[in-house]
Amino acid sequence: MKFPMVKEKRNSGPIRVGALELFPAFNEIRNGNRSYALRSGIMQLLLYLLAHRNQVVTKEDILANVWPDRVVSIGSVARSVSELRQFLSHHFAGIVEIETIPKVGYRLRIQEAPPKPKSPAVKRPWWPLIVLFLPLVIWGFYVFTIGGEQKVEAPTKISYLTAYQGREMQPALSPDGENLLFSWQKGAGEVPKIFVRETGGSVPRQLTFGSGHDLQPRWLPGESAVVFLRVLPEGGSKIIKKSLISQDETMLVSVPFQVVDRRYDLTNDGSAFYVSARSDSNSTYSLYQYLRKTGQWEAVRERQTADFNDQYPIYLNRDYQLAFIRTELDPKEGAFKQLMVSDLASGKLKTLYRFKDYVAGLTWQATKNRFLIWLRRNYSNRLIAVDLTGATQVIKSNVLTMPGAIYAAPESDQIVYEIWEGNTSIHRLDLLGERPFSMELEAIFPSSKSDRSMAISGDGKSAAFISTRTGAMDVWWAELANPLTLRKITNNQNNAKVLKWVALSGAGHWLAYSYREGLTIVDRLGVLVDSLHFPAAEVLAPAWSPSQEGRLFFSVRTKDDFYLYGYDLERKDLYQLAVSDGVRPIPRLANGSEVIYYYHTLDGSIRKWDLEAEKQVEVLAGHFEADPFNWQPSEEGLYFLTKKKGEPRICFFNFASGQTSDVFPATNVLSGLPSIGLSPDGSSLYLTRSEAVNVDLVAERLE
């Protein structure tokens, strides 16, 4: 069945710049089959710079010509240019770039592709072609006449369906595969709405309007209509049917739960709906069903215990079964998850797959009778297939890009899923500023990719961090005073190792980086110095002694416990300092001190280990509400990342007074990853900060 698509007429033709096409009326740029959206003001800025390409324009010129009727500050101009430069470097690197002319202004350059030289005609003998292609002709004759028809599948290839500004989420392909539904949040502070576009490429058409959050669109089989979930600003949710012909909206059912997990499914005929929801803000997630013939909501299964959450409902139309993900808490093992199937007639439950990873997306692939699950763990992602017998297959592994919601086309092997893309860069915060909450962050190594796990050398002259700037996860090094010295230290081909932590020695001579089952030490040219291997364990948080060059400390996590180790590089001496009794010790050393501070995850305290006495001497703080990965000691106290009244903050704990004070609002500073570093003189704090997060939709045909 063909689903109607309204073709919108464009008000003006495109502006062509090399291979690019600009559509100012839609704030859109096209490069071949890929489309990108810009904010209106940024598009106007780009048009002005294009009109003056290869010319230097001042900030005053931009103010007078781009925003002549608005009150805009010089600082806003710089931020707008920075946003445009980031957009161009992310999507059109090597094609369009903006140069900063110090103390003057900006210049936009277009990189023109050089013409290809014509090759002189060369006469070649024809008889080698017969020798080359004759076996292929014979093989083809056999296949199509004697051997019968053989289907050759195309290799797996990812293609972007959307690449707009903002977050395009929760995709759904029409049964004929020609149209794509998705929820699109165009920018921060805007509410997501439902859009539709042709998979072959067209301007998205907005289907829904109003103040509610419109999510989880689904095609309604057999009808020219879609359904979606609307979360109302006053509370509560509704499942709504939207006609693609008349544009009328019809409420199918109201969801009477205080908190809805924004995930639902329905039968092909629309006679029943299934949601994962909480009956109140304090309860766990349960599965509920709404049968249109009775007009009532009821629990799919009566709960005997509150020790689990049921989420991601998927209705299997053919077998009258409901699949879902159950999360449980085991006293010994901790939290684990199960992919389960419930027979709605008999109530019997069957566990298909047990795992501990974070679930990014789940779908049912009807063409192959299997589930597809995106799983995240340790900065790496996997796509797993699970059939109804419980047999599993790894489809993709070591995927660095962060996937999200996934949808399998009903009648083909094509899947569509979210790709969360954002650039995280290292910024410097001047701690000596007069007004802390007015201090501005300075990006020291700007990037359109992901930088993280940053470390500063003990002398404060160099930095190292882990980044995906060239596609793979590698360690990078640079002098802080000269970003042009930035270079890649490792060559982690095919992401063979999932790198987690990096540390720089006091004088910056050596780098240590850790991964599962090992730790490697190299010099700043990348030459191997030493390597330590810990079978069936994980190495965390290496930290060099600031006063004794070549002395390294780190934590090792085994299946049973955590251990704190020391290592003397010169003597090749590995020794154990402490067993943490189930606590995750993340060691940190203050400059000029031979004291290790580490975080106690059970009581939220910071503990101190004296290296000379080789024992723990005292507990510095009581309940310390800090991110376990993000705190840094100085001689006077501790800087740490925390959430204070729901807002992330960088705070300082003073050893002498025992008081905590705010330093800086930590908006977009990464948590759950090592993201804070301190200069040795205490004048600068280095933060790994997320600049922007976009969500795009990609399509892939699985073999």
Side-chain angles (χ1 to χ4, degrees):
M1 171 180 182
K2 293 282 185 181
F3 288 83
M5 169 66 70
V6 176
K7 303 286 187 180
E8 295 193 3
K9 295 183 179 180
R10 302 180 181 231
N11 298 325
S12 61
I15 300 173
R16 290 181 171 83
V17 182
L20 306 181
E21 291 183 310
L22 279 67
F23 293 89
F26 300 107
N27 295 321
E28 180 179 290
I29 304 178
R30 285 193 177 184
N31 185 13
N33 293 326
R34 298 183 62 178
S35 300
Y36 308 88
L38 273 173
R39 290 195 299 110
S40 176
I42 302 301
M43 173 61 81
Q44 296 305 312
L45 172 61
L46 175 58
L47 292 174
Y48 177 74
L49 293 177
L50 282 172
H52 299 81
R53 70 182 72 176
N54 299 322
Q55 301 176 22
V56 178
V57 296
T58 66
K59 294 180 180 179
E60 290 74 15
D61 292 335
I62 295 174
L63 276 176
N65 292 278
V66 178
W67 300 288
D69 301 322
R70 293 174 55 191
V71 178
V72 179
S73 67
I74 291 292
S76 297
V77 172
R79 284 190 291 272
S80 297
V81 171
S82 177
E83 180 181 341
L84 177 58
R85 177 187 284 127
Q86 176 183 310
F87 173 84
L88 295 175
S89 65
H90 182 63
H91 296 297
F92 307 114
I95 302 176
V96 185
E97 62 181 26
I98 300 175
E99 296 179 344
T100 298
I101 311 302
K103 300 182 179 180
V104 180
Y106 307 97
R107 177 167 54 200
L108 183 138
R109 290 188 179 275
I110 306 293
Q111 302 295 332
E112 302 291 349
K116 295 183 179 180
K118 294 184 178 180
S119 301
V122 178
K123 290 187 177 182
R124 301 182 184 275
W126 52 266
W127 62 265
L129 298 177
I130 296 178
V131 176
L132 178 64
F133 288 103
L134 183 59
L136 296 176
V137 173
I138 296 173
W139 175 83
F141 176 78
Y142 170 79
V143 167
F144 292 103
T145 59
I146 303 173
E149 181 182 354
Q150 294 189 2
K151 182 179 179 182
V152 180
E153 294 190 7
T156 299
K157 182 180 180 181
I158 296 176
S159 59
Y160 276 73
L161 295 179
T162 69
Y164 307 118
Q165 194 85 358
R167 301 182 178 184
E168 304 96 65
M169 307 174 290
Q170 303 161 353
L173 282 172
S174 61
D176 58 19
E178 294 190 1
N179 293 317
L180 173 72
L181 277 176
F182 58 96
S183 178
W184 185 6
Q185 183 180 13
K186 290 189 175 183
E190 297 191 36
V191 296
K193 292 297 171 186
I194 306 301
F195 286 76
V196 62
R197 60 160 287 179
E198 294 176 346
T199 53
S202 67
V203 176
R205 177 166 64 95
Q206 186 169 345
L207 292 180
T208 64
F209 301 87
S211 58
H213 288 64
D214 295 341
L215 305 159
Q216 294 289 334
R218 292 286 184 267
W219 297 94
L220 198 57
E223 298 186 40
S224 297
V226 299
V227 295
F228 62 92
L229 180 70
R230 174 167 289 167
V231 180
L232 304 174
E234 63 272 17
S237 305
K238 297 178 180 179
I239 297 177
I240 295 175
K241 174 182 174 181
K242 174 82 174 186
S243 171
L244 294 175
I245 299 176
S246 66
Q247 304 299 308
D248 292 338
E249 289 187 359
T250 305
M251 187 189 76
L252 297 179
V253 59
S254 176
V255 184
F257 306 109
Q258 182 176 352
V259 180
V260 177
D261 195 33
R262 300 183 179 183
R263 296 186 178 97
Y264 74 98
D265 204 3
L266 70 158
T267 58
N268 278 344
D269 59 5
S271 62
F273 298 87
Y274 299 89
V275 300
S276 171
R278 296 191 291 189
S279 58
D280 58 68
S281 59
N282 297 317
S283 65
T284 53
Y285 288 100
S286 298
L287 298 176
Y288 296 89
Q289 64 180 354
Y290 178 86
L291 303 178
R292 298 187 72 178
K293 63 180 180 181
T294 64
Q296 294 183 344
W297 285 95
E298 60 183 22
V300 173
R301 299 176 58 86
E302 294 297 330
R303 301 176 66 102
Q304 303 298 323
T305 175
D307 294 337
F308 58 82
N309 286 301
D310 290 342
Q311 297 170 279
Y312 293 94
I314 293 181
Y315 181 77
L316 305 183
N317 286 278
R318 185 181 60 186
D319 302 314
Y320 194 54
Q321 294 178 326
L322 188 70
F324 57 94
I325 298 291
R326 171 167 292 179
T327 304
E328 295 189 56
L329 184 63
D330 183 271
K332 295 182 180 180
E333 189 178 349
F336 67 93
K337 300 177 179 67
Q338 299 175 89
L339 172 60
M340 309 186 78
V341 173
S342 173
D343 188 297
L344 295 175
S346 65
K348 292 182 179 180
L349 276 178
K350 180 180 180 181
T351 298
L352 299 181
Y353 181 49
R354 181 184 171 105
F355 57 98
K356 301 191 72 172
D357 309 73
Y358 173 79
V359 179
L362 172 68
T363 191
W364 169 252
Q365 190 179 21
T367 58
K368 293 187 180 295
N369 290 324
R370 65 183 185 181
F371 298 95
L372 297 174
I373 318 176
W374 269 120
L375 299 177
R376 298 180 191 166
R377 180 196 289 180
N378 297 336
Y379 319 132
S380 183
N381 308 290
R382 300 177 297 151
L383 180 61
I384 306 294
V386 184
D387 66 21
L388 290 173
T389 68
T392 62
Q393 178 187 1
V394 179
I395 305 296
K396 299 164 74 75
S397 61
N398 285 338
V399 178
L400 288 183
T401 52
M402 187 176 294
I406 182 174
Y407 180 84
E411 300 172 3
S412 73
D413 292 336
Q414 190 175 40
I415 61 172
V416 183
Y417 54 91
E418 301 170 351
I419 288 291
W420 290 66
E421 297 176 323
N423 65 301
T424 56
S425 300
I426 298 170
H427 292 68
R428 187 180 72 88
L429 176 65
D430 184 2
L431 296 175
L432 303 182
E434 296 181 0
R435 299 176 59 192
F437 284 95
S438 299
M439 293 187 296
E440 292 190 3
L441 293 171
E442 171 194 0
I444 56 176
F445 304 119
S447 169
S448 62
K449 298 295 183 180
S450 175
D451 299 340
R452 54 180 177 239
S453 189
M454 177 266 310
I456 306 296
S457 63
D459 59 8
K461 295 181 179 180
S462 57
F465 55 90
I466 296 171
S467 178
T468 59
R469 290 173 180 239
T470 55
M473 186 183 294
D474 281 295
V475 177
W476 293 68
W477 176 92
E479 296 175 6
L480 284 170
N482 185 8
L484 296 179
T485 60
L486 181 65
R487 63 174 178 265
K488 188 171 69 169
I489 297 298
T490 60
N491 187 20
N492 191 19
Q493 293 184 351
N494 300 320
N495 297 303
K497 296 176 180 177
V498 180
L499 307 183
K500 292 188 176 182
W501 304 78
V502 65
L504 264 176
S505 64
H509 293 153
W510 297 303
L511 296 90
Y513 57 91
S514 67
Y515 41 88
R516 181 171 294 278
E517 297 192 343
L519 178 142
T520 296
I521 302 171
V522 298
D523 65 18
R524 56 189 178 189
L525 296 177
V527 178
L528 178 65
V529 176
D530 208 347
S531 184
L532 304 177
H533 186 58
F534 296 85
E538 186 175 7
V539 181
L540 304 172
W544 293 92
S545 167
S547 58
Q548 297 186 35
E549 188 77 356
R551 201 173 183 187
L552 180 68
F553 303 95
F554 53 90
S555 175
V556 174
R557 176 172 62 184
T558 66
K559 182 179 179 181
D560 302 318
D561 217 328
F562 287 86
Y563 301 85
L564 190 62
Y565 277 91
Y567 183 67
D568 190 308
L569 183 59
E570 181 179 355
R571 296 186 300 171
K572 309 295 183 184
D573 181 23
L574 177 67
Y575 51 95
Q576 182 180 314
L577 289 173
V579 181
S580 60
D581 299 326
V583 182
R584 178 184 300 172
I586 306 298
R588 295 285 190 272
L589 287 90
N591 191 48
S593 170
E594 283 303 293
V595 175
I596 297 178
Y597 300 92
Y598 62 93
Y599 187 83
H600 194 298
T601 53
L602 293 184
D603 62 8
S605 64
I606 298 292
R607 301 194 175 189
K608 187 167 74 171
W609 181 273
D610 191 310
L611 290 175
E612 294 182 359
E614 294 190 352
K615 65 179 181 179
Q616 178 182 299
V617 292
E618 63 180 312
V619 176
L620 289 177
H623 190 68
F624 201 71
E625 296 180 354
D627 184 318
F629 295 100
N630 283 306
W631 55 276
Q632 186 67 42
S634 67
E635 294 186 58
E636 292 79 23
L638 299 168
Y639 291 93
F640 61 95
L641 172 64
T642 186
K643 283 190 174 181
K644 192 175 183 180
K645 297 180 181 179
E647 294 293 330
R649 290 280 188 273
I650 300 292
C651 296
F652 179 73
F653 174 80
N654 189 289
F655 289 155
S657 66
Q659 300 296 313
T660 299
S661 57
D662 287 335
V663 176
F664 192 77
T667 306
N668 295 338
V669 174
L670 297 186
S671 60
L673 295 170
S675 305
I676 292 181
L678 184 67
S679 63
D681 60 2
S683 64
S684 299
L685 196 65
Y686 295 89
L687 311 173
T688 304
R689 188 170 181 265
S690 174
E691 290 296 305
V693 177
N694 284 334
V695 184
D696 297 324
L697 301 178
V698 300
E700 184 173 359
R701 190 176 300 277
L702 299 181
E703 295 181 353

